Amino acid sequence: LSTRASAILSSLDIPVGAELPGVYDGQWSGSGEVLESVCPATGEVLARVRSATPDELHEALGKSKEAYLHLRTVPAPKRGELLRQIREALSAKRDVLGALVTLEMGKIKTEGIGEVQEFVDICDYAVGLSRMMNGRVVASERPGHTILEVPNPIGVVGVLTAFNFPVAVYGWNFALSVAAGNANVWKPSPSTPLCSIAVTKIIAGVLEKNGLPGAVSTLITGGKNVGEAIVESRDIPLVSFTGSEAVGRVVGKAVQSRFGKSILELGGNNASIIMPDADMQLAVPAVFFGAIGTAGQRCTSTRRLYLHRAIAPKFLDALQKLYATINVGDPLVDGTLLGPLHTRAAVGIYSDAVQRLRQSGAEILTGGKTYDHAALSQGNFVQPTISIPKTADPADKIWSTETFAPILNVGLFDELEQAIEWNNAVPQGLSSSLWTRDIRNLGKWIGPEGSDAGIVNVNVGTSGAEIGAAFGGNKSTGWGRESGGDAWKQYVRWSACTVNFSDAAPLAQGVDFST
Ligand code: NAD
């Protein structure tokens, strides 16, 4: 293993060179299928991880249930104290864990560190939440009665995550879920097992110090089979799934068919709309980051750019100038802005999409190829691409599908209404962004005739949400909400409790059933 990869793994107490156990439920095990962790920038195999056999999976689910039975008796503010300690432990390892995200997922260093910071932030949030998960007292129509709405822990929560946020997405779920009193079973992407092992080790250390069962944060690495087993398990009342629309559709139906609850965080196909009065100094760099950040592999990446015809040439000129300055290369090196795609297969998907654009008569303004210089040849590097498709018809596949790569399609409009219609016409509804200084445009955009996405920004790009607001998208993005806002309310079971403290037992609505 390269010296730098060894150094990162060692700093996170991950043995170098050995086959690693990929299951944790208080004990580490794993004798199932082998997962390979491959560095997307260099092609280096970082580790081999043994995922769960069906027996190991079954055992881990059993331990998780026991852990839940214990955790639900721990008072919520005490669970908050646990989260505070986990926050501290993560924060102490923030930079090296961020470096592991970069090494294994491929995003640049500052984004890798930022992702760990999100986990730290949501722990802070959940510490406060642990003293604020309030129910309600409701007025009763009957004398001497009171009605309470009471939140209680829900059970074991299954968290299935995507490759592109191998740390933060578990954090968003785990922090709220633990504050709510649940045990968690995490199945990460099979291509980012090291990030999940490193996070689990940090959490496990804190659980152990507090005398709590390790299976409060169970890890079960594996592929589709393991995912299916979790989704189908009746011991898991809530499944939080982050991933593609295609898999989300299967997962949503499977959970629903056993009357479980699901939170779905699926694909995005996000647009930025630039009005003629937009501040170009701000809008151009924001679109640049939105389209190229994480090499176009964020669910919130800007994939569609709608430019008002009056400013389109000027805007595209400025944007292309920025594209020309992009520093591509090793994502662990300071100053790199464009790292690799996560897998070889993703390079194929990028090339197919570009080919489709060319065949349909799109104008490729920049990019459209892989890099051919030697320094990048071992990694999955592709040129960020701006194209003007021949048609602006949002029903065309070019516009209506999420291609998880740095390809930005541009359409020109004359009226804001037209741009909003295009914004809303795709199946997905995650993030959206309008650039304007006219308050009338803003009002339209955030109102009933405006964007139908879950994230509706003004003079802020599509990417880069904070943890305080509920995060998620509508329509085929799945309607799920995670992180801040009221998201915590999904991780509890609600009971309506009517209590009679009078000497009579009247029925509601004046119903008379006397004999
Ligand atoms: P993916 O759908 O291929 O995989 C997601 C997870 O599902 C993985 O852990 C995978 O092993 C598991 N899985 C696969 N088949 C399964 C099955 N039949 N049953 C249960 N689990 C199964 O997604 P990906 O390629 O890892 O991630 C990229 C996608 O995730 C993009 O579409 C992106 O937009 C989306 N995403 C969405 C959000 C959001 O918050 N909306 C955030 C991050 C990523």
Side-chain angles (χ1 to χ4, degrees):
L1 199 65
S2 59
T3 329
R4 67 178 195 175
S6 303
I8 292 170
L9 295 190
S10 304
S11 310
L12 290 159
D13 303 322
I14 298 178
V16 175
E19 214 170 59
L20 302 170
V23 181
Y24 178 78
D25 58 9
Q27 305 289 329
W28 286 93
S29 63
S31 43
E33 180 202 352
V34 173
L35 308 174
E36 251 183 15
S37 167
V38 180
C39 174
T42 61
E44 180 182 25
V45 175
L46 300 169
R48 289 189 173 77
V49 174
R50 281 268 183 196
S51 71
T53 60
D55 278 353
E56 286 163 343
L57 186 125
H58 185 74
E59 174 145 357
L61 293 185
K63 292 266 180 60
S64 309
K65 201 165 174 189
E66 283 168 29
Y68 157 66
L69 296 179
H70 181 80
L71 194 68
R72 69 180 181 178
T73 65
V74 175
K78 293 267 185 317
R79 302 193 294 254
E81 165 56 17
L82 175 73
L83 286 165
R84 191 193 61 73
Q85 293 176 33
I86 291 172
R87 178 242 189 262
E88 291 293 296
L90 282 165
S91 183
K93 296 272 183 187
R94 187 189 73 157
D95 288 9
V96 66
L97 190 51
L100 178 63
V101 172
T102 297
L103 188 70
E104 189 177 47
M105 184 275 153
K107 63 179 68 176
I108 60 171
K109 220 163 92 178
T110 157
E111 292 187 85
I113 293 170
E115 175 165 355
V116 182
Q117 184 61 43
E118 271 191 67
F119 201 154
V120 170
D121 291 345
I122 192 70
C123 283
D124 279 340
Y125 180 91
V127 173
L129 190 65
S130 70
R131 290 183 186 265
M132 295 191 294
M133 287 180 297
N134 302 329
R136 280 202 295 192
V137 181
V138 178
S140 168
E141 66 187 44
R142 286 171 278 184
H145 285 55
T146 195
I147 303 173
L148 310 175
E149 285 181 356
V150 181
N152 275 303
I154 196 168
V156 178
V157 176
V159 185
L160 281 67
T161 57
F163 76 82
N164 65 330
F165 277 87
V167 169
V169 171
Y170 183 61
W172 293 353
N173 284 282
F174 170 82
L176 298 192
S177 180
V178 166
N182 306 314
N184 304 279
V185 173
W186 181 13
K187 196 213 82 66
S189 167
S191 57
T192 56
L194 290 179
C195 286
S196 60
I197 289 173
V199 167
T200 300
K201 278 184 181 244
I202 291 170
I203 295 174
V206 179
L207 288 168
E208 200 176 313
K209 220 165 58 195
N210 286 270
L212 286 165
V216 162
S217 188
T218 293
L219 173 67
I220 310 182
T221 56
K224 187 174 167 213
N225 295 347
V226 172
E228 283 171 346
I230 291 172
V231 164
E232 280 159 21
S233 169
R234 286 173 191 277
D235 288 331
I236 299 187
L238 172 62
V239 173
S240 174
F241 174 84
T242 300
S244 58
E245 289 159 76
V247 178
R249 184 169 282 120
V250 175
V251 167
K253 280 186 192 158
V255 177
Q256 176 60 37
S257 74
R258 62 171 174 86
F259 298 114
K261 276 182 34 157
S262 61
I263 299 173
L264 300 175
E265 298 279 358
L266 314 178
N269 184 4
N270 318 295
S272 277
I273 299 174
I274 318 291
M275 292 301 284
D277 67 330
D279 185 334
M280 298 290 166
Q281 303 286 340
L282 307 182
V284 174
V287 170
F288 178 63
F289 170 68
I292 297 189
T294 326
Q297 300 166 103
R298 287 190 182 215
C299 50
T300 52
S301 290
T302 311
R303 311 207 178 277
R304 300 180 291 146
L305 174 63
Y306 294 127
L307 296 175
H308 191 280
R309 204 174 297 278
I311 46 87
K314 202 170 137 213
F315 193 97
L316 284 174
D317 187 51
L319 189 61
Q320 278 176 267
K321 285 202 173 102
L322 268 188
Y323 268 60
T325 65
I326 188 96
N327 210 346
V328 51
D330 187 337
L332 273 169
V333 170
D334 287 334
T336 299
L337 288 186
L338 179 68
L341 292 180
H342 183 56
T343 58
R344 280 270 168 221
V347 177
I349 290 168
Y350 162 89
S351 301
D352 289 350
V354 172
Q355 199 186 354
R356 213 168 42 237
L357 281 166
R358 287 212 163 95
Q359 280 166 352
S360 67
E363 188 186 346
I364 307 289
L365 295 185
T366 181
K369 294 193 214 110
T370 53
Y371 288 97
D372 45 19
H373 37 287
L376 303 177
S377 63
Q378 298 307 308
N380 312 320
F381 293 91
V382 300
Q383 294 182 0
T385 301
I386 305 175
S387 96
I388 307 186
K390 207 161 182 187
T391 169
D393 178 4
D396 193 292
K397 232 181 134 187
I398 286 169
W399 294 100
S400 65
T401 49
E402 176 197 49
T403 301
F404 223 51
I407 300 175
L408 181 66
N409 290 319
V410 183
L412 308 190
F413 68 91
D414 296 297
E415 302 294 338
L416 176 60
E417 288 72 15
Q418 171 80 85
I420 294 178
E421 196 184 315
W422 288 343
N423 176 74
N424 293 352
V426 298
Q428 308 81 359
L430 181 52
S431 187
S432 57
S433 145
L434 174 70
W435 292 81
T436 184
R437 282 182 282 197
D438 185 332
I439 197 165
R440 291 168 298 183
N441 296 334
L442 184 160
K444 180 160 279 176
W445 177 242
I446 65 172
E449 295 166 281
S451 169
D452 65 2
I455 298 171
V456 182
N457 291 340
V458 181
N459 298 331
V460 170
T462 60
S463 245
E466 301 179 22
I467 59 99
F471 177 94
N474 302 336
K475 306 190 292 181
S476 74
T477 304
W479 303 97
R481 293 295 184 273
E482 285 178 0
S483 208
D486 282 341
W488 70 269
K489 293 183 177 170
Q490 303 162 105
Y491 297 81
V492 291
R493 60 175 169 80
W494 288 93
S495 321
C497 311
T498 306
V499 181
N500 177 6
F501 51 90
S502 74
D503 295 321
L507 294 168
Q509 294 89 40
V511 171
D512 184 2
F513 213 63
S514 53
T515 49

